[in-house]
Amino acid sequence: MKRTGITTKLFLATASIFVLFYVIVLVSQILVFPEFYEHQKMIQLEKNAVELTSIYQKDPTALRETGSSSILQSHKREMNFALTDFDGNMTVNDPYRMRLIQKDGTEVDVSLYYIVSAYGAEFKKLNLAVGTELKMYGEFGESSNSRTFYPYYIQTSDGKDVGVNEQQSSEDAVQGKIISISLPSVVKTEQRLGLLYVTVDEFFPLEQTYIDRLKRMEQVELKWKNPFSGSRSGILIQPLREQNGNIELLFLVTSLQEIKETNSALRLFYAYLGAGGFILILLLSVLYSRLVTRPLLMLNKQAHKMKELDFTGEKPLPRKDELGNLSGTLFELSGKLNMTLDELNKANVQLKKEIIQNKQMEQLQKDFFANASHELKTPISIVRGFAEGIRDGISVGRQEHYVEVILEESAKMEQLVQDMLDLLRLESSALKLYKSPVLLSELTQDMLEKLTYQMDEKELSAHLVYKQETEINVDPVKIEQVLLNLMTNAIRHAEKGSTIEIHILGTEQTCLYSIYNKGDQIPDDYLKRIWERFFRVEASRDRKSGGTGLGLAIVKRILELHECEYNVRNVEDGVIFELTFKKYSRSKPVVGGY
């Protein structure tokens, strides 16, 4: 264990607390506990005296009747007391009692203390109970106890007996049936009564100072040490005044010896407890290592990885305590940070792309304006030159030709401006597409009818083939513009007298559209650039082929808005443009046609 580790700290803290607690308990047990114990015993003795005094004041006979509920309750609670006079004659002192009824109806109180004390084991075998008939030999007490019979031999009706069986006269015999009996715990009661008899015999007759205090109805509290056994006892004498004015003494006693025996045993116990506590501390250190240190080290490792921006970690700890909650929170934080970092990286990549796109857009705008200026400069110069010629009267007979040239160049400028406006609208974020299901074959046929004149000029023909065609969900106006531009481009570059082939093929997910024209191929370096604005394959930028250079740029933008794939490639004797549209999910295929 590291000196600064949490396991070491927990170990030292636990050891310190245990040692401190151990020292406090040991010192208290040696110095304080005996006095505390004796004090508590005397307090309990005083409480018993108050309770018995209260019972006596309400009904004095309740403490004299052997079978009364108050006497039975006091025996159960191990109250060791007796009622005596100032000479020590006990009125109530025997919990082992029973009452018999003789054949003549006379009831006799019987004290069983001698029999129980002398023949405890044999007495139990009698199994005395209410209703048992028995015969006893003994003698009646003298003076105040003349109503009580003290047997030294008992015989039941079924022949069981206990005690000394000597020849006795009938005057010493009592025979009858048990009507009540009291037999509390033998061991505990014997101990208590033995202590009671010893202390009564020791203290009576009382010293005059005690008698004077008792006659003044003052309580006397004493602690006494037996000179023979060395045992210590607590004694309390409470005076009780009878209705006739006489004073009886409530004599209570409790043993204080138990604490010394317990104290000596506890000292040995604490020695074992100290050794066991040290072993327990070692076990706790291992437990701390498993329950606290190891999870904390794992969490620290995960936090260190997070510091290095490494958010790949193990699953949270499968615990339902604070460490489990912390692990779950850390795991969730790691996941969110990882997600946020990924989003930031993606945003960074996207931002870089946007910066590049913005730069490209700026360059395109510069190129656009440069190209637009260039494209407009030529027709404007032509228009201006011919207009000045008309004004100056040059070639008066050719004015009609000059006007035709001016009109032609004006139309080209108008077309260029219109294409530029169309391209700007297509690039606007506010543009909306009005889609509906259409068939490319129908759009193509309508387009071919519009281009009949241009095709006739070059003696061209068109061949349309469609198989398994399906409807596509597009903006018909925009797609018609795409097809028109591609077909116009094919007519412009097709060889005179050739055939333009148009194929439409439907598949499970798409609809393929292609336009082929026979003619010059496009240089491989230009195949990707022909979609750029104002780009022409002719390096000299001559205008023999016509067009504004914006047609394919418009086609590209419209196809991108429809998420349509497009491509151009050279074939053996010409060029083919290919488009791939997504199939409309509700469309039904058209078988085919030419």
Side-chain angles (χ1 to χ4, degrees):
M1 295 184 294
K2 296 181 179 180
R3 293 184 178 180
T4 58
I6 188 170
T7 303
T8 304
K9 293 179 180 179
L10 289 173
F11 173 77
L12 294 176
T14 305
S16 301
I17 293 173
F18 179 82
V19 170
L20 179 62
F21 177 75
Y22 180 78
V23 171
I24 292 174
V25 171
L26 189 61
V27 172
S28 300
Q29 186 264 334
I30 295 174
L31 302 179
V32 180
F33 187 67
E35 296 295 332
F36 174 77
Y37 178 82
E38 290 184 4
H39 179 68
Q40 291 298 315
K41 292 284 283 187
M42 295 305 295
I43 289 177
Q44 185 61 42
L45 203 64
E46 292 176 0
K47 291 181 179 179
N48 293 342
V50 172
E51 183 176 347
L52 292 172
T53 300
S54 176
I55 295 173
Y56 183 87
Q57 290 175 349
K58 292 179 181 178
D59 183 11
T61 59
L63 296 182
R64 293 193 178 94
E65 295 291 336
T66 302
S68 68
S69 59
S70 299
I71 294 294
L72 294 177
Q73 187 67 23
S74 66
H75 290 331
K76 289 180 180 180
R77 296 173 58 185
E78 300 183 0
M79 294 183 185
N80 201 8
F81 72 94
L83 284 177
T84 72
D85 55 19
F86 282 93
D87 295 327
N89 295 319
M90 289 187 286
T91 306
V92 177
N93 65 340
D94 187 2
Y96 298 108
R97 305 181 73 88
M98 66 180 177
R99 183 181 291 271
L100 266 65
I101 184 170
Q102 302 182 87
K103 292 183 179 180
D104 59 1
T106 305
E107 294 183 2
V108 179
D109 287 330
V110 180
S111 173
L112 299 174
Y113 178 73
Y114 169 75
I115 292 293
V116 172
S117 301
Y119 309 98
E122 297 176 6
F123 177 78
K124 288 182 179 180
K125 296 179 180 180
L126 296 180
N127 296 324
L128 298 183
V130 175
T132 303
E133 293 187 1
L134 45 79
K135 185 176 182 181
M136 300 178 297
Y137 290 95
E139 58 186 18
F140 283 93
E142 299 178 356
S143 65
S144 61
N145 293 328
S146 60
R147 296 173 299 172
T148 302
F149 186 75
Y150 296 89
Y152 45 78
Y153 176 77
I154 300 176
Q155 183 180 30
T156 61
S157 59
D158 56 1
K160 296 179 181 179
D161 61 350
V162 64
V164 180
N165 185 9
E166 297 179 352
Q167 292 291 53
Q168 303 291 339
S169 64
S170 59
E171 295 179 356
D172 297 327
V174 172
Q175 188 173 359
K177 183 185 296 185
I178 299 175
I179 58 176
S180 66
I181 186 169
S182 172
L183 296 173
S185 174
V186 175
V187 177
K188 292 183 179 180
T189 307
E190 283 180 355
Q191 295 173 349
R192 290 190 290 106
L193 289 179
L195 177 61
L196 181 64
Y197 286 139
V198 170
T199 51
V200 169
D201 184 64
E202 178 69 24
F203 276 87
F204 286 92
L206 295 171
E207 296 179 6
Q208 188 60 42
T209 55
Y210 296 153
I211 294 175
D212 294 340
R213 288 177 59 186
L214 293 171
K215 286 184 177 181
R216 292 196 300 269
M217 302 304 291
E218 296 179 3
Q219 189 182 79
V220 176
E221 186 175 309
L222 304 168
K223 290 182 181 179
W224 173 68
K225 183 177 181 180
N226 192 320
F228 298 102
S229 62
S231 61
R232 301 176 71 254
S233 303
I235 299 169
L236 189 145
I237 306 175
Q238 175 69 44
L240 303 174
R241 189 178 297 278
E242 295 183 277
Q243 293 180 353
N244 58 10
N246 294 332
I247 297 177
E248 282 190 303
L249 303 180
L250 179 62
F251 190 91
L252 296 96
V253 62
T254 184
S255 175
L256 304 178
Q257 183 62 21
E258 298 174 1
I259 183 57
K260 289 191 175 182
E261 298 172 355
T262 305
N263 216 11
S264 60
L266 281 175
R267 292 178 183 177
L268 180 61
F269 170 75
Y270 285 132
Y272 290 114
L273 181 64
F278 181 75
I279 296 174
L280 178 62
I281 292 173
L282 294 178
L283 295 176
L284 284 175
S285 65
V286 177
L287 181 64
Y288 287 148
S289 177
R290 287 185 172 273
L291 294 182
V292 180
T293 309
R294 187 177 299 176
L296 286 178
L297 291 176
M298 293 176 62
L299 294 176
N300 184 56
K301 180 180 177 182
Q302 181 65 22
H304 184 73
K305 291 173 66 177
M306 292 174 62
K307 183 184 72 172
E308 301 297 330
L309 299 181
D310 180 6
F311 302 106
T312 59
E314 300 177 357
K315 295 182 179 179
L317 299 175
R319 299 169 59 133
K320 296 183 179 179
D321 54 9
E322 289 78 3
L323 287 176
N325 294 335
L326 177 60
S327 175
T329 303
L330 195 63
F331 182 78
E332 184 178 355
L333 176 62
S334 177
K336 290 183 177 180
L337 287 175
N338 188 31
M339 185 183 302
T340 304
L341 187 61
D342 289 342
E343 291 177 354
L344 287 175
N345 289 333
K346 292 179 181 179
N348 189 33
V349 172
Q350 183 64 28
L351 182 60
K352 290 180 179 178
K353 290 181 179 179
E354 290 179 357
I355 292 174
I356 295 173
Q357 289 176 354
N358 289 336
K359 290 182 178 180
Q360 293 176 348
M361 185 63 65
E362 290 178 2
Q363 186 62 39
L364 288 174
Q365 288 176 351
K366 292 178 181 178
D367 294 342
F368 178 82
F369 287 115
N371 293 329
S373 300
H374 177 79
E375 293 294 334
L376 290 172
K377 182 179 179 180
T378 300
I380 289 175
S381 298
I382 295 173
V383 170
R384 180 177 180 177
F386 278 87
E388 288 177 350
I390 294 174
R391 183 192 65 184
D392 296 338
I394 301 174
S395 301
V396 178
R398 302 189 63 185
Q399 288 185 354
E400 184 176 347
H401 171 69
Y402 285 9
V403 172
E404 289 294 333
V405 172
I406 291 173
L407 290 175
E408 182 181 351
E409 294 301 324
S410 299
K412 290 179 180 180
M413 286 190 292
E414 181 181 5
Q415 182 63 42
L416 177 61
V417 173
Q418 184 62 43
D419 288 346
M420 291 170 61
L421 292 175
D422 288 343
L423 190 57
L424 289 175
R425 281 196 294 267
L426 290 172
E427 291 178 346
S428 173
S429 59
L431 178 68
K432 291 185 179 180
L433 298 177
Y434 299 94
K435 295 183 178 182
S436 62
V438 297
L439 288 171
L440 289 174
S441 58
E442 294 179 357
L443 292 178
T444 302
Q445 289 171 356
D446 293 341
M447 173 194 65
L448 292 175
E449 292 179 0
K450 296 177 181 179
L451 297 174
T452 301
Y453 177 75
Q454 290 88 331
M455 294 177 66
D456 291 342
E457 283 185 341
K458 295 187 69 172
E459 300 178 0
L460 300 174
S461 62
H463 183 208
L464 174 62
V465 180
Y466 53 95
K467 295 180 180 179
Q468 295 295 320
E469 182 187 7
T470 57
E471 290 181 333
I472 59 173
N473 193 34
V474 295
D475 187 329
V477 176
K478 297 292 188 294
I479 296 301
E480 183 178 4
Q481 186 178 0
V482 169
L483 300 182
L484 186 61
N485 278 328
L486 292 178
M487 190 63 187
T488 301
N489 189 70
I491 293 172
R492 186 178 298 124
H493 297 282
E495 289 184 357
K496 186 176 181 180
S498 62
T499 301
I500 298 175
E501 296 183 3
I502 304 171
H503 291 269
I504 302 173
L505 177 63
T507 64
E508 291 183 0
Q509 301 294 333
T510 60
C511 182
L512 304 178
Y513 186 91
S514 65
I515 297 180
Y516 162 78
N517 68 274
K518 186 178 180 180
D520 295 334
Q521 294 183 342
I522 302 173
D524 293 338
D525 296 340
Y526 295 164
L527 286 175
K528 293 183 179 180
R529 296 193 60 192
I530 63 171
W531 307 99
E532 297 177 5
R533 304 169 184 177
F534 298 109
F535 180 80
R536 287 193 178 92
V537 175
E538 297 88 348
S540 62
R541 287 184 173 267
D542 63 356
R543 302 172 55 84
K544 295 179 180 179
S545 59
T548 62
L550 294 175
L552 291 181
I554 293 174
V555 169
K556 174 186 174 184
R557 182 56 185 164
I558 293 176
L559 293 177
E560 288 176 347
L561 290 173
H562 285 82
E563 298 180 355
C564 175
E565 297 178 4
Y566 53 91
N567 183 42
V568 59
R569 57 189 177 89
N570 294 318
V571 292
E572 183 176 355
D573 55 353
V575 178
I576 184 170
F577 284 81
E578 297 173 326
L579 309 179
T580 304
F581 294 91
K582 291 182 180 180
K583 176 183 176 182
Y584 182 51
S585 59
R586 299 181 182 178
S587 65
K588 295 182 180 180
V590 179
V591 175
Y594 297 92

